[in-house]
Amino acid sequence: MLRCWGEVKWTDIMTDSLVDPGALETLCENFRDSPDILGLVLNDFFESVDRLHTRINIALTTGDAEDMARAAHSLKSNCATVGALAMADVMREIERIGNEGELAGCDVLLTRSSDLYTTVRPQLKALLHDLSGIDA
Amino acid sequence: MSNELEFEGQSALVIEDELFMRNLIIRLLQELGFETSTPAEDGAAAMQILESTGAYFDVIILDLDMPLIDGFDFIRMLRGSNQVSDNDIPVVVVTGNSEGRNLTKAVELGIHGFLVKPVSKKTLSARLTRALRRERLSFNEKKTPKRPQV
């Protein structure tokens, strides 16, 4: 039985995390009958972070505010899906700036997101393991 | 009746430009018992699948915010096409933007469900159940504020 359906939930434990455990608990519930899928979902997320960070960086280099906003919008949704809410907040701000046709400050925000990711990634992996016993 | 039985044998066209979300929706559909889920990364690719191959789908799951042909344009093209085998095919919209004007615009174009990301299996199942009955979302009469009937 997966631990996320036991009596103790991570929402009660991880208060200092950059990850909202509730989102991963929802994913666990979604794939209750085939928990192996959870590892694939999380790996898809990790791939998307690398790909969309790169795309934002390229958009910054080429001055393409529209594409930067679009990439940030996508990554914002992806982060919210797995509960990486601090990263989602950064992406929301990049999206807002990009939608105004601006780029200013987004290099700093992108660095902030990358820094957060170095902490978020192992937190997500550990959380998934503890919730489901699955390794991503 | 379980969801798996409810959706057994159904087919979906999933139009979503972001790979992570596209894969996630397809996996959720598999969990729900859908027999086939065909991916399309934008509205143009989806129209090509619908018009050129003549493929039939029970439902379309559509992201609103896509480059080139966005979800709104796709619905207009779909509903106006005479090359699609069923241009009244149910459409469930998925969006990361919960602004009311998006919902209003989508409902006016003719949709059967509206979902705000992140997508959960439970909510997706509920929207699909309604969509497969081919009940379009509509607004209440003037007595109440503009809200979709669910």
Side-chain angles (χ1 to χ4, degrees):
Chain A
M1 183 161 184
L2 302 184
R3 266 172 263 179
C4 55
W5 300 301
E7 290 182 1
V8 178
K9 290 191 172 187
W10 269 79
T11 29
D12 303 325
I13 302 169
M14 295 184 67
T15 54
D16 296 328
S17 173
L18 294 172
V19 176
D20 168 26
L24 268 191
E25 285 171 359
T26 299
L27 278 177
C28 286
E29 191 61 41
N30 288 342
F31 297 103
R32 184 174 193 161
D33 296 330
S34 40
D36 289 348
I37 297 291
L38 291 166
L40 300 177
V41 171
L42 208 52
N43 280 324
D44 280 353
F45 171 71
F46 296 149
E47 181 279 329
S48 81
V49 174
D50 295 336
R51 172 169 44 83
L52 292 167
H53 272 166
T54 299
R55 187 169 146 197
I56 291 169
N57 193 36
I58 290 171
L60 275 168
T61 305
T62 59
D64 189 343
E66 183 180 347
D67 195 58
M68 181 186 74
R70 191 173 294 280
H73 174 83
S74 293
L75 187 50
K76 177 189 70 179
S77 290
N78 296 356
C79 288
T81 298
V82 300
L85 298 187
M87 286 180 67
D89 286 343
V90 175
M91 286 301 127
R92 185 176 294 106
E93 183 62 7
I94 292 178
E95 180 186 10
R96 185 191 65 76
I97 294 169
N99 280 335
E100 292 175 355
E102 302 291 336
L103 300 164
C106 289
D107 53 343
V108 175
L109 289 169
L110 180 60
T111 300
R112 171 70 178 147
S113 180
S114 297
D115 290 345
L116 286 169
Y117 182 52
T118 61
T119 305
V120 164
R121 182 179 170 121
Q123 281 186 355
L124 281 170
K125 291 177 79 159
L127 185 54
L128 182 69
H129 180 82
D130 283 355
L131 285 171
S132 66
I134 299 296
D135 290 317
Chain B
M1 182 186 289
S2 72
N3 287 331
E4 287 73 12
L5 289 176
E6 182 179 355
F7 299 116
E8 193 176 41
Q10 303 286 344
S11 61
L13 177 61
V14 179
I15 312 168
E16 162 69 63
D17 64 318
E18 170 49 35
L19 179 63
F20 168 75
M21 203 57 68
R22 196 164 65 237
N23 284 345
L24 179 62
I25 291 169
I26 287 172
R27 286 176 172 137
L28 287 171
L29 290 171
Q30 287 170 343
E31 285 296 297
L32 287 169
F34 270 70
E35 185 172 317
T36 56
S37 301
T38 301
E41 64 182 35
D42 56 38
M47 283 308 294
Q48 186 168 11
I49 290 170
L50 289 164
E51 292 187 337
S52 302
T53 69
Y56 175 82
F57 299 97
D58 294 292
V59 65
I60 291 174
I61 298 176
L62 173 69
D63 182 27
L64 278 185
D65 188 28
M66 296 183 294
L68 303 178
I69 298 175
D70 67 15
F72 299 115
D73 288 337
F74 172 81
I75 300 170
R76 283 190 201 94
M77 291 170 67
L78 172 69
R79 300 296 185 221
S81 174
N82 55 13
Q83 296 180 58
V84 177
S85 59
D86 175 12
N87 65 8
D88 195 39
I89 182 172
V91 172
V92 174
V93 160
V94 179
T95 179
N97 188 339
S98 59
E99 284 183 16
R101 62 184 175 184
N102 279 347
L103 172 56
T104 302
K105 194 173 169 184
V107 168
E108 287 171 352
L109 287 170
I111 63 168
H112 300 71
F114 190 90
L115 266 174
V116 177
K117 298 172 187 172
V119 179
S120 74
K121 182 179 170 185
K122 184 179 176 183
T123 314
L124 180 62
S125 173
R127 299 299 184 274
L128 287 169
T129 296
R130 180 196 168 106
L132 290 170
R133 290 199 298 260
R134 293 192 168 238
E135 296 173 13
R136 281 194 182 186
L137 287 181
S138 61
F139 292 111
N140 291 329
E141 296 299 322
K142 292 175 183 175
K143 291 175 184 174
T144 55
K146 269 196 167 183
R147 293 183 67 84
Q149 295 173 340
V150 292

